[in-house]
């Protein structure tokens, strides 16, 4: 067929060229037209045409200049941060957090709704998300036209249905094929022209750390998430877009404690924040009453490692944390043996709290449970993006779709029909 080459149309080639320029400017900019050519593999003519179109549309803007060898200064270009907006949502286990970002992922507004441990009523969560979206949009001058999409990180496995869109299977929160996308559409909060992108929260955390945080520069890493529960995302050369792992439900003790999922001996039953606090209380400790889970975990860590002269540590808290360090060491060793990553990155609100106090203790158990060769090549450290990493990662989902479309807006269709937004994540982790 005329206009096609190797199955790709002229339209496909233009979209790919635009995507290449946008991504290079986004991750490595500001850059000049002169340096964009070698960086993208495009000809100078193609660069000129693509840049002219993107500047005319407002997606790319000038960002100063740089001296050239013997010629006039070269104009630097960047993706215009204010041209579009993105929303990231973290459906966590203690709160729903909604954040509005510009294209540089700088936060513009946020809304939070606290949850109880049993507070994952489907209708209530959908209402929290819709209300949060309304609140952050109302706090700014963003119109629906300026919003590129909403990304949502959820606990559990996400499947896709051609009619209903994203279906969430969250066994630990009693969600069975919840049509979250369809529920949000029914709320009428946003027009069909604004797409929703829903994925596992550990995967969105992993994407954020790989693009902007502690995973930057590597293509082979595991990002683990500790909150009330436990999860992970693995990124390898074959899985560059990342894959969520139900790592928290790896069996670490046969006939062990009952997990929230119903099984026995899961890692989450020993290392999740909820389980840690329960184990402390069962061992005779006294978790503070009337506070949220994050505050209670802080109190446990402070009891085990008190500050101030003469303050004695709580031996019960110390014992539970030391046992937990071994469980985590064994769990991380399984990831090392299975995936042989260059890096393991610990994130999530509980992971950041725990990691600051006893990551060294966890590392001591790696040689006991992991194979020597891959264990000797891995580095283990904390995430760099803080407790907001899941929402940042969720916002990368519509951002990746924006790149995949070459800066074109999404058509008013369901996520299940969108053309490969996940493919935009493949190979796009900045070096």
């Amino acid at each position: 067929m005329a206009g096609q080459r190797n199955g790709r149309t002229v339209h496909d080639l233009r979209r790919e060229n635009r995507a290449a320029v946008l991504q290079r400017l986004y991750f490595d900019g500001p850059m000049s037209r002169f340096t964009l050519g070698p960086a993208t593999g495009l000809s100078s003519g193609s660069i000129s045409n693509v840049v002219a179109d993107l500047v005319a549309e407002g997606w790319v803007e000038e960002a100063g200049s740089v001296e050239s060898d013997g010629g006039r200064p070269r104009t630097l270009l960047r993706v215009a941060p204010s041209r579009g907006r993105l929303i990231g949502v973290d459906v966590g286990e203690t709160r729903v957090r909604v954040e509005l970002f510009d294209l540089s992922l700088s936060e513009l507004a946020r809304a939070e709704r606290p949850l109880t441990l049993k507070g994952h009523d489907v209708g209530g969560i959908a209402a929290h998300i819709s209300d949060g979206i309304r609140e952050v949009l109302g706090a700014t001058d963003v119109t629906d036209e300026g919003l590129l999409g909403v990304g949502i990180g959820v606990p559990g496995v996400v499947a896709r249905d051609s009619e209903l869109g994203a279906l969430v299977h969250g066994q630990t929160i009693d969600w069975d094929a919840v049509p979250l996308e369809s529920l949000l559409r029914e709320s009428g909060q946003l027009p069909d022209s604004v797409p929703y992108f829903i994925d596992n929260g550990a995967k969105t955390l992993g994407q954020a750390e790989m693009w902007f945080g502690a995973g930057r520069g590597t293509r082979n890493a595991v990002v683990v998430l500790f909150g009330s529960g436990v999860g992970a995302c693995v990124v390898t050369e074959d899985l560059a877009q990342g894959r969520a792992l139900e790592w928290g439900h790896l069996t670490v003790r046969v006939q062990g404690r009952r997990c929230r999922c119903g099984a026995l001996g899961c890692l989450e039953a020993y290392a999740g924040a909820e389980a840690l606090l329960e184990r402390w209380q069962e061992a005779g400790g006294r978790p503070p009453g009337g506070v949220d889970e994050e505050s209670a975990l802080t109190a446990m860590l402070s009891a085990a490692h008190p500050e101030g002269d003469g303050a004695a540590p709580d031996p019960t808290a110390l014992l539970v944390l030391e046992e937990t360090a071994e469980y985590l060491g064994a769990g991380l060793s399984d990831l090392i043996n299975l995936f042989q990553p260059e890096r393991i990155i610990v994130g999530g609100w509980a992971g950041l709290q725990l990691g600051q106090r006893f990551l060294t203790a966890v590392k001591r158990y790696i040689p006991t449970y992991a194979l020597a060769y891959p264990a000797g090549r891995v580095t283990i450290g904390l995430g760099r993006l803080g407790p907001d990493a899941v929402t940042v990662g969720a916002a990368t989902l519509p951002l990746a779709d924006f790149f995949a479309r070459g800066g074109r807006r999404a058509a008013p269709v369901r996520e299940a029909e969108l053309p490969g937004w996940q493919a935009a994540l493949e190979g796009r982790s900045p070096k």
Side-chain angles (χ1 to χ4, degrees):
M1 180 183 294
Q4 289 188 329
R5 183 176 64 189
N6 299 327
R8 293 185 298 171
T9 66
V10 172
H11 176 76
D12 293 332
L13 293 174
R14 287 175 178 169
R15 184 185 67 246
E16 291 167 8
N17 290 348
R18 286 168 60 99
V21 169
L22 283 169
Q23 289 176 102
R24 188 59 63 185
L25 287 176
Y26 190 85
F27 290 119
D28 299 327
M31 300 176 71
S32 68
R33 291 172 177 80
F34 180 79
T35 54
L36 268 172
T40 59
L42 299 178
S43 68
S44 58
S46 294
I47 291 293
S48 294
N49 291 335
V50 170
V51 167
D53 287 345
L54 293 173
V55 169
E57 294 167 17
W59 295 117
V60 170
E61 64 184 13
E62 294 184 359
S65 61
V66 62
E67 295 296 327
S68 62
D69 295 333
R72 61 182 180 180
R74 295 192 176 105
T75 300
L76 295 176
L77 303 167
R78 68 173 183 177
V79 174
S82 61
R83 179 64 174 85
R85 299 289 188 263
L86 309 157
I87 288 179
V89 180
D90 176 10
V91 179
E93 293 173 308
T94 61
R95 64 170 55 85
V96 173
R97 176 183 288 128
V98 181
E99 295 185 55
L100 178 70
F101 302 93
D102 66 14
L103 286 184
S104 69
L105 290 179
S106 296
E107 181 187 317
L108 302 176
R110 74 162 55 195
E112 293 193 354
R113 301 290 187 273
L115 301 174
T116 68
L117 289 178
K118 305 300 180 183
H120 284 76
D121 169 74
V122 173
I125 294 297
H128 284 331
I129 295 172
S130 294
D131 289 346
I133 291 173
R134 183 181 299 108
E135 183 175 331
V136 297
L137 291 178
T140 64
D141 58 356
V142 180
T143 63
D144 295 338
E145 183 180 352
L147 185 61
L148 298 182
V150 178
I152 305 173
V154 297
V157 178
V158 180
R160 285 171 176 83
D161 180 88
S162 60
E163 296 296 327
L164 297 175
L167 302 178
V168 183
H169 301 263
Q171 192 163 325
T172 60
I173 58 172
D174 297 324
W175 281 19
D176 182 15
V178 169
L180 183 59
E181 180 183 354
S182 180
L183 291 173
L184 293 172
R185 286 286 179 210
E186 289 173 2
S187 73
Q189 175 62 39
L190 295 173
D192 289 345
S193 59
V194 178
Y196 288 94
F197 304 87
I198 302 172
D199 217 322
N200 178 272
K203 182 174 176 180
T204 69
L205 168 70
Q207 189 60 46
E209 290 288 352
M210 293 300 291
W211 277 23
F212 307 111
R216 190 177 172 94
T218 183
R219 293 294 302 277
N220 189 0
V222 177
V223 183
V224 297
L225 183 155
F226 291 95
S228 298
V230 178
C233 172
V234 61
V235 179
T236 66
E237 292 291 343
D238 296 329
L239 296 170
Q241 79 275 23
R243 174 178 291 171
L245 303 175
E246 290 296 333
W247 178 56
H249 303 289
L250 178 81
T251 301
V252 294
R253 188 167 182 173
V254 176
Q255 296 298 318
R257 289 173 56 86
R258 178 77 63 182
C259 180
R260 297 184 304 166
C261 74
L264 296 176
C266 294
L267 176 62
E268 185 171 302
Y270 294 90
E274 180 180 345
L276 265 175
L277 294 169
E278 289 178 354
R279 290 171 57 218
W280 184 28
Q281 185 171 24
E282 291 166 4
R286 296 184 178 181
V291 299
D292 60 54
E293 195 170 75
E294 295 185 34
S295 299
L297 182 61
T298 300
M300 180 182 184
L301 293 170
S302 297
H305 301 280
E307 298 180 358
D309 295 337
D314 180 337
T316 304
L318 273 175
L319 176 61
V320 171
L321 288 172
E322 183 58 36
E323 290 176 346
T324 302
E326 184 167 7
Y327 283 119
L328 288 177
L332 293 178
S333 294
D334 287 330
L335 295 176
I336 292 169
N337 292 340
L338 285 169
F339 301 108
Q340 300 183 25
E342 299 170 45
R343 299 180 193 173
I344 293 179
I345 301 159
V346 178
W349 67 264
L352 296 175
Q353 279 201 49
L354 293 169
Q356 292 170 0
R357 300 291 186 98
F358 81 140
L359 187 57
T360 300
V362 173
K363 292 179 182 179
R364 287 202 300 266
Y365 290 100
I366 300 299
T368 304
Y369 295 101
L371 295 171
Y373 179 73
R377 295 167 59 85
V378 69
T379 60
I380 303 174
L382 296 180
R384 295 177 184 169
L385 300 181
D388 290 347
V390 173
T391 40
V392 172
T396 69
L397 302 181
L399 180 60
D401 178 71
F402 169 76
F403 289 150
R405 295 179 182 278
R408 304 295 188 189
R409 292 188 179 278
V413 293
R414 292 189 180 277
E415 175 188 353
E417 301 170 309
L418 294 176
W421 63 267
Q422 290 170 310
L425 301 178
E426 298 181 6
R428 304 307 184 193
S429 179
K431 303 297 186 201

